[in-house]
Amino acid sequence: MAVLVTGGAGYIGSHMVLALLDAGETVVVLDNLSTGFRSAVLAPATFIQGDFGDETLVRTIIEQHGITAIAHFAAKIVVPESIADPLGYYLNNTAKARNLIASAVAGGIKHFIFSSTAAVYGETGATAVGEDTPLAPVSPYGRSKLMVEWILADTAKAHDFRFVALRYFNVAGADPAGRSGQSTRDATHLIKVAVQAALGRRPGLSIFGTDYDTPDGTCLRDYIQVSDLADAHMDALRYLRDGGDNLTCNCGYGRGYSVRAVVDVVKAVSGVDFPVTVMGRRPGDPAAIVADNTRVKAALGWTPRHDDIAAIVTQALDWERRLHNREL
Ligand code: UFG
């Protein structure tokens, strides 16, 4: 009985591998290392370099390793990149996910956990977005993920197969024990970019848009700590194994921080007043996106343990410092 983690060499996937190993599970990672790192997959997890869309490969892995559940993290995740390269996103995030799901069904896998995204909602205007909010993604990235939610729902109707789709809000921070963190090259995510600016790895930070309809004019996001997010997946795995039905849940803390507020926290925690430039809006950015997390708490029993923006920034800074010093 083993769990297959696609994208397990990446940022969020590597934290899931840690959570699984900590729980005594047998883990197999499938990752093509396009953005992940071999060194992020810690022993005793088995690492296989390859493409999750390769049905022959995935069928072989399922059979050879006795896989009984799949947690699918491998994806392209940068909203502006998805606008420039929609076909790349629909191939990688949608078409290949369809192949992975087909491999799962053919291999008799009954439990599937999918990394979905708050980007499926688009511009809601709501202060806290519930799962039943009408879905209107504003980027190819959001649409590429939403289509997979639909594929999963249809597959679960036709086959002996159940899934949990977790819609992530803005994931940040690092394993509190320092075993993993965000090592992504050319990262674009706010907290990562800001800690790099604080450590002098970038000349400064640009704020994309200060004219949004929000309290300080910058976008509001719900920043969730990465180990808390991995724990939600562990809860989802338990839920499916206990016979839980198909489920789609938001994963966020239910509280928004503005871009300016995050920049202030990074400056305060690092003690560095790095330069900040105001730029125009970035395409594909909703003004505010904050989770209503009632369902993930009630249905999965998820209990966040790291809901503290200063601690999240401290973890990101510590990890970045170690990357910078080539300790990793
Ligand atoms: N931002 C800046 N400057 C930067 C980087 C980001 O001002 O250098 C702003 C963005 O414009 C946005 C906010 O910070 O307003 C957050 O941007 P990120 O790039 O960190 O994250 P996104 O909100 O675009 O997207 C992330 C994930 C998606 C997920 C989404 C859900 O990448 O997978 O959060 O809210 F769907």
Side-chain angles (χ1 to χ4, degrees), residues 9-325:
Y11 172 45
I12 305 171
S14 67
H15 288 80
M16 177 64 173
V17 172
L18 291 177
L20 286 162
L21 293 177
D22 288 348
E25 299 275 349
T26 303
V27 183
V28 178
V29 168
L30 175 61
D31 196 303
N32 67 2
L33 298 185
S34 59
T35 56
F37 298 86
R38 173 66 186 87
S39 58
V41 182
L42 299 187
T46 299
F47 175 75
I48 297 165
Q49 184 168 355
D51 181 349
F52 70 85
D54 178 341
E55 294 188 46
T56 309
L57 172 65
V58 174
R59 281 295 305 277
T60 305
I61 293 171
I62 290 170
E63 278 162 29
Q64 287 186 346
H65 294 269
I67 303 294
T68 55
I70 296 178
H72 175 41
F73 292 85
K76 290 171 168 278
I77 58 155
V78 180
V79 171
E81 184 184 60
S82 79
I83 295 169
D85 180 24
L87 295 174
Y89 272 65
Y90 291 130
L91 172 62
N92 194 76
N93 290 5
T94 314
K96 287 188 180 182
R98 175 264 161 223
N99 289 0
L100 177 69
I101 295 163
S103 312
V105 169
I109 301 293
K110 295 182 173 47
H111 302 150
F112 196 98
I113 302 171
F114 174 56
S115 302
S116 190
T117 169
V120 298
Y121 294 113
E123 190 75 70
T124 64
T127 40
V129 186
E131 290 85 353
D132 297 328
T133 305
L135 302 173
V138 293
S139 65
Y141 168 64
R143 285 188 275 271
S144 74
K145 289 280 188 172
L146 178 54
M147 283 192 271
V148 179
E149 290 193 11
W150 289 337
I151 294 170
L152 286 168
D154 290 338
T155 302
K157 281 181 201 145
H159 300 281
D160 182 13
F161 173 92
R162 281 172 295 115
F163 71 91
V164 174
L166 296 175
R167 293 179 179 159
Y168 307 167
F169 284 63
N170 289 57
V171 190
D175 174 47
R179 296 172 295 173
S180 196
Q182 190 172 14
S183 305
T184 324
R185 297 177 205 95
D186 306 321
T188 57
H189 290 127
L190 179 64
I191 291 181
K192 174 84 176 175
V193 170
V195 300
Q196 289 181 333
L199 294 177
R201 297 195 70 184
R202 295 175 184 255
L205 177 128
S206 301
I207 295 184
F208 301 131
T210 53
D211 59 347
Y212 285 96
D213 185 16
T214 58
D216 70 9
T218 66
C219 291
L220 292 180
R221 295 287 183 275
D222 186 337
Y223 294 90
I224 172 174
Q225 199 271 353
V226 64
S227 316
D228 269 346
L229 181 62
D231 282 351
H233 294 71
M234 297 302 293
D235 295 334
L237 186 60
R238 245 184 318 271
Y239 166 89
L240 288 170
R241 285 175 174 168
D242 288 348
D245 206 353
N246 305 313
L247 188 68
T248 300
C249 289
N250 287 338
C251 285
Y253 291 141
R255 182 176 342 102
Y257 287 95
S258 72
V259 175
R260 278 201 196 280
V262 169
V263 169
D264 288 347
V265 173
V266 176
K267 286 186 174 186
V269 168
S270 65
V272 181
D273 187 14
F274 52 84
V276 172
T277 315
V278 170
M279 307 276 282
R281 292 184 179 196
R282 193 176 69 170
D285 275 345
I289 180 114
V290 175
D292 176 335
N293 59 16
T294 311
R295 186 185 290 176
V296 66
K297 287 179 168 168
L300 297 185
W302 179 63
T303 312
R305 294 178 295 145
H306 306 286
D307 178 4
D308 178 340
I309 190 77
I312 291 171
V313 166
T314 302
Q315 293 161 5
L317 262 171
D318 286 348
W319 185 258
E320 199 62 36
R321 224 174 252 129
R322 290 171 63 203
L323 275 180
H324 192 105
N325 296 339

